[in-house]
Amino acid sequence: MKPLLLTYDVEEFDWRLGGGRPLPAKRQIEVTADGLRALLPLHEKHRVPATFFVTGAFATSEPELVAALADAGHEVGVHGLAHADDYANLEPAVAIERLRRARDIVEDASGRQAVGMRTPRLRSCLAFVVRDAGFAYDASPHPTWIPGRYFGLHHRRRPWRKGGIIKVPISVLPGFRLPVSWLLFQFAGPRLGLLGARLALVGAPYLHLYFHPWEAVSLRPFGALPPFSYRTGGFFLDGLDRLLGWSEGRLEATTVRDFLESFSTS
């Protein structure tokens, strides 16, 4: 069976909502924390380990919840010091310092070593920056193209080594390279999302999907407009339940860290 790498970006819910303003900082954390508490029972039900990339800001506010992730057998990685960080445009020395601070905060909260990272909004980060910040892998590459958001058509659909680290790309459809993670599941629903997941396995060594805990909270009361408020809250949890159930017997669920221990990039 091919591996299932299910990953989550545990971040401040810093969207600009009605009126063009984000929620207050404390509420941004609360939305994600509420979503995390809602989705974790599904992982326990299906016995599916996952990898959670956590911002330093979230770990500072919710250290007990981060510790609970590690205690439940999930991998805890780093998602930057703050979700507003742009590691593609920060000076390397600044980026390294902020990522090191984030790693220290997340490790203190989880009680485990953080060997992997993912940048906020999947923006690029120089390999030596990731390495010098103390990480072994970067799960940011997204081999797709969406104007104004993702520019990753040059990426491979399998892990590769670069600058002393391992790049672990997110799954996309073969050929057209359409994304199959949260965007497809949210906009098209779980049925087409599962179809996309099946197709993404073709010619790839794994299925690597990513979601956000805030999707497990209904976003309509916060003023999030369609289509981004579609299929959040209970709709998301039902879709996640279907995804986890579908994977049983078809894929071998594991964390990114454990997968890389046995995977060759040669």
Side-chain angles (χ1 to χ4, degrees), residues 65-204:
L65 191 49
V66 175
L69 293 175
D71 291 343
H74 302 296
E75 178 186 2
V76 179
V78 171
H79 195 40
L81 186 60
H83 195 241
D85 284 357
D86 181 358
Y87 294 98
N89 291 304
L90 286 174
E91 289 293 327
V94 176
I96 291 169
E97 189 272 335
R98 290 186 70 81
L99 285 171
R100 284 177 176 171
R101 285 172 56 195
R103 190 196 69 212
D104 289 344
I105 293 169
V106 170
E107 288 182 345
D108 285 346
S110 69
R112 309 288 197 283
Q113 182 183 11
V115 300
M117 59 86 72
R118 173 178 287 153
T119 57
R121 297 180 174 88
L122 310 184
R123 289 174 176 157
S124 62
C125 185
L126 294 170
F128 83 85
V129 169
V130 177
R131 180 198 65 207
D132 290 357
F135 300 103
Y137 75 81
D138 178 4
S140 309
H142 201 187
T144 189
W145 180 73
I146 297 178
R149 191 172 181 92
Y150 305 129
F151 304 93
L153 290 180
H154 60 289
H155 292 317
R156 308 173 189 175
R157 294 178 61 232
R158 59 182 288 120
W160 71 93
R161 293 186 182 275
K162 182 176 182 179
I165 63 166
I166 302 177
K167 297 278 192 173
V168 188
I170 296 162
S171 291
V172 295
L173 294 182
F176 293 106
R177 296 292 191 94
L178 295 176
V180 297
S181 289
W182 74 282
L183 285 170
L184 182 61
F185 278 81
Q186 188 179 68
F187 293 171
R191 180 176 297 179
L192 288 178
L194 289 175
L195 175 60
R198 293 188 185 96
L199 293 174
L201 283 163
V202 176

Side-chain angles (χ1 to χ4, degrees), residues 185-187 219-220 224-233 235-236:
F185 278 81
Q186 188 179 68
F187 293 171
L219 299 182
R220 291 189 179 185
L225 300 176
F228 293 103
S229 61
Y230 286 164
R231 299 186 178 93
T232 57
F235 292 99
F236 169 80

Side-chain angles (χ1 to χ4, degrees), residues 8-66:
Y8 294 89
D9 293 352
V10 184
E11 61 202 28
E12 307 89 277
F13 179 63
D14 56 359
W15 282 23
R16 293 191 176 275
L17 302 172
R21 295 183 178 180
L23 294 172
K26 181 179 179 181
R27 192 70 184 106
Q28 292 178 19
I29 297 291
E30 291 173 347
V31 171
T32 292
D34 289 346
L36 198 53
R37 294 187 184 97
L39 67 84
L40 284 176
L42 292 179
H43 280 269
E44 182 178 2
K45 169 186 172 183
H46 293 281
R47 299 181 181 179
V48 171
T51 300
F52 293 83
F53 296 105
V54 182
T55 65
F58 185 89
T60 298
S61 296
E62 296 284 348
E64 294 182 357
L65 191 49
V66 175

